[in-house]
């Protein structure tokens, strides 16, 4: 029997802070007992040519984050130095130099190649897919929390969708896929990337540093935006996935036909209101904006009801005060984005730290209930 739940998680709604020339972004310590280790992975799918470079097979860049022994206070840059510099350039273009400068001070509670805890206990594993133009490493607050509580997280950054992706040969690939209306067809490439990566998770349990430490009967999938809808597609296509979370992803194209049977969770941002829209002197323009917002929320609800119609249990949670980009680490610098038009539909009134820790808690609780207990 399918059981539906609808929650609203209330966040604080402070006034937006005034612009500052620079701020320091502190790392957020995860609450679990484990330290967080990480390793980079690169996989080649020799059955597909890479649409971003037809001379190559499809290459997948990813990270494996895992429960580790040792210090829980270790801090590192989110990415290797050159890659991190490229990432900051992207943030500078997207949000301005103040945000990029602030995020330069941000570190993650992770240690590269940290030792795996001794013993033979197996960890549940989660496949993570980021939103369009974001990297898996842009969600470290949520990922660190999950790993500290005993999950392995395998995060991929689909080439051509994520921005930027650096490969071992120093080749850097920027976003070229999923732009405008092309997202409806391009998304199939990200779906195939995720399905390909899912089966690499099984291989990780057969060999390598996590050999025998992954519980292949407890695999979940989750993601943000494009990654969230991809998680639903992966669940619908492969029963290896036992539960899936869509974080604020709007279904398009074939995604709307997916009917996963596993436990599902949709975490939504709050719908903007017309009062928050950038002002325009034309009443007709503002009325069209209002109508568009109303249609968007109705479509989002109708799509979720249809996609989750065959799920054994489906829940939807709305985080009050959060907008679409409050779920990425860069939101920690969102106080520096003060222009109303620049914040519109990106950053809400919730405190940035609260949005990320609330998101982490909801995702972890869902997977605890669906995979662990």
């Amino acid at each position: 029997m399918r059981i539906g739940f609808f929650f609203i998680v209330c966040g604080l709604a402070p006034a937006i802070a005034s612009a500052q020339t620079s701020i320091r972004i502190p790392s957020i310590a995860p609450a679990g007992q484990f330290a967080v280790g990480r390793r980079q992975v690169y996989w080649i799918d020799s059955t597909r040519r890479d649409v971003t470079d037809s001379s190559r097979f499809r290459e997948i860049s990813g990270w494996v984050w895992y429960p580790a022994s040792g210090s829980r206070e270790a801090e590192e840059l989110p990415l290797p130095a050159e890659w991190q510099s490229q990432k900051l350039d992207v943030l500078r273009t997207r949000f301005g130099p103040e945000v990029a400068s602030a995020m330069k001070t941000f570190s993650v509670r992770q240690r590269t190649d940290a030792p795996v805890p001794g013993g033979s206990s197996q960890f549940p594993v989660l496949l993570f897919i980021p939103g369009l133009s974001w990297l898996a490493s842009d969600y470290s607050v949520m990922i660190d929390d999950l790993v500290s509580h005993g999950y392995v997280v395998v995060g991929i950054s689909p080439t051509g969708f994520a921005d930027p992706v650096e490969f071992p040969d120093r080749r850097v690939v920027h976003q070229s896929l999923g732009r405008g209306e092309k997202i409806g067809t391009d998304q199939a490439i990200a779906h195939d990337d995720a399905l390909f990566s899912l089966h690499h998770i099984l291989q990780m349990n057969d060999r390598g540093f996590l050999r025998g430490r992954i519980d292949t009967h407890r695999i979940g999938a989750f993601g943000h935006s494009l990654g969230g809808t991809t998680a639903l597609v992966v669940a619908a296509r492969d029963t290896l996935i036992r539960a899936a979370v869509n974080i604020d992803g709007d279904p398009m194209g074939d995604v709307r036909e997916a009917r996963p049977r596993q436990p599902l969770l949709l975490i939504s941002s709050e719908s903007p209101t017309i009062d928050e829209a950038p002002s325009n002197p034309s009443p007709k323009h503002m009325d069209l904006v209002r109508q568009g917002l109303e249609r968007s929320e109705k479509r989002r609800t109708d799509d979720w009801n249809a996609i989750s119609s065959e799920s054994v249990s489906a829940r939807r949670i709305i985080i009050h005060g959060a907008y679409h980009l409050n779920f990425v680490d860069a939101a920690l610098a969102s106080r520096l984005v003060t222009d109303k038009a620049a914040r519109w539909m990106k950053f809400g009134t919730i405190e940035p730290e609260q949005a990320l820790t609330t998101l982490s808690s909801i995702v972890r609780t869902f997977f605890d209930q669906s995979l662990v207990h």
Side-chain angles (χ1 to χ4, degrees), residues 48-339:
R48 293 185 293 154
R49 286 288 175 180
D50 193 333
V51 295
T52 68
D53 183 348
S54 60
S55 68
R56 297 174 178 268
F57 290 115
R58 184 69 175 168
E59 296 176 78
I60 309 298
S61 170
W63 289 89
V64 179
W65 292 275
Y66 56 92
S69 57
S71 172
R72 296 170 63 239
E73 302 302 318
E75 296 188 21
E76 296 185 0
L77 290 175
L79 294 166
E82 286 189 29
W83 193 355
Q84 176 71 1
S85 178
Q86 294 267 355
K87 178 63 191 182
L88 292 173
D89 286 343
V90 170
L91 289 179
R92 186 175 295 107
T93 300
R94 183 175 295 170
F95 300 119
E98 294 83 4
V99 170
S101 178
M103 289 306 294
K104 188 176 182 179
T105 70
F106 178 65
S107 58
V108 294
R109 295 297 183 97
Q110 301 167 9
R111 186 153 57 100
T112 301
D113 296 331
V116 180
S120 59
S121 59
Q122 293 185 314
F123 305 110
V125 59
L126 305 175
L127 174 64
F128 177 74
I129 310 98
L132 181 64
S133 80
W134 296 96
L135 302 169
S137 55
D138 287 321
Y139 300 80
S140 66
V141 173
M142 174 176 57
I143 290 171
D144 286 356
D145 179 74
L146 286 162
V147 174
S148 77
H149 285 90
Y151 287 90
V152 171
V153 176
V154 179
I156 63 170
S157 298
T159 311
F161 295 93
D163 195 12
V165 177
E166 183 179 274
F167 288 95
D169 60 1
R170 304 295 185 184
R171 182 170 55 98
V172 176
V173 180
H174 291 279
Q175 183 193 354
S176 60
L177 301 174
R179 296 188 181 279
E181 294 181 355
K182 289 184 63 181
I183 185 61
T185 52
D186 285 353
Q187 64 182 351
I189 301 167
H191 300 165
D192 289 341
D193 288 349
L195 287 161
F196 173 77
S197 301
L198 174 60
H199 289 276
H200 267 275
I201 290 175
L202 302 181
Q203 295 178 21
M204 287 169 50
N205 197 46
D206 293 334
R207 58 181 180 270
F209 76 104
L210 287 175
R211 180 180 179 182
R213 302 302 300 273
I214 292 175
D215 189 340
T216 57
H217 298 291
R218 295 188 293 168
I219 302 178
F222 70 125
H224 173 230
S225 196
L226 168 67
T229 57
T230 298
L232 298 177
V233 170
V234 173
R237 295 184 183 177
D238 200 317
T239 56
L240 281 172
I241 299 298
R242 303 299 296 272
V245 179
N246 172 12
I247 303 170
D248 215 36
D250 284 344
M252 290 168 284
D254 293 344
V255 175
R256 302 176 73 182
E257 306 304 316
R259 298 292 183 270
R261 297 180 181 274
Q262 301 93 322
L264 303 176
L265 173 63
L266 170 62
I267 301 174
S268 296
S269 60
E270 187 177 18
S271 294
T273 67
I274 189 61
D275 293 336
E276 300 168 84
S279 59
N280 187 290
S282 168
K284 182 177 180 180
H285 171 87
M286 298 304 289
D287 190 53
L288 288 174
V289 172
R290 178 188 59 77
Q291 292 178 36
L293 293 173
E294 292 171 354
R295 285 195 300 270
S296 179
E297 176 55 31
K298 182 180 186 304
R299 180 179 60 81
R300 179 156 58 168
T301 299
D302 290 346
D303 284 343
W304 173 243
N305 288 338
I307 290 171
S308 64
S309 61
E310 297 182 19
S311 167
V312 294
S313 65
R315 310 174 188 181
R316 181 181 180 188
I317 295 176
I318 298 175
I319 301 183
H320 179 70
Y323 285 170
H324 192 62
L325 294 187
N326 277 114
F327 303 133
V328 298
D329 293 341
L332 293 168
S334 62
R335 295 181 181 90
L336 297 172
V337 182
T338 58
D339 180 73

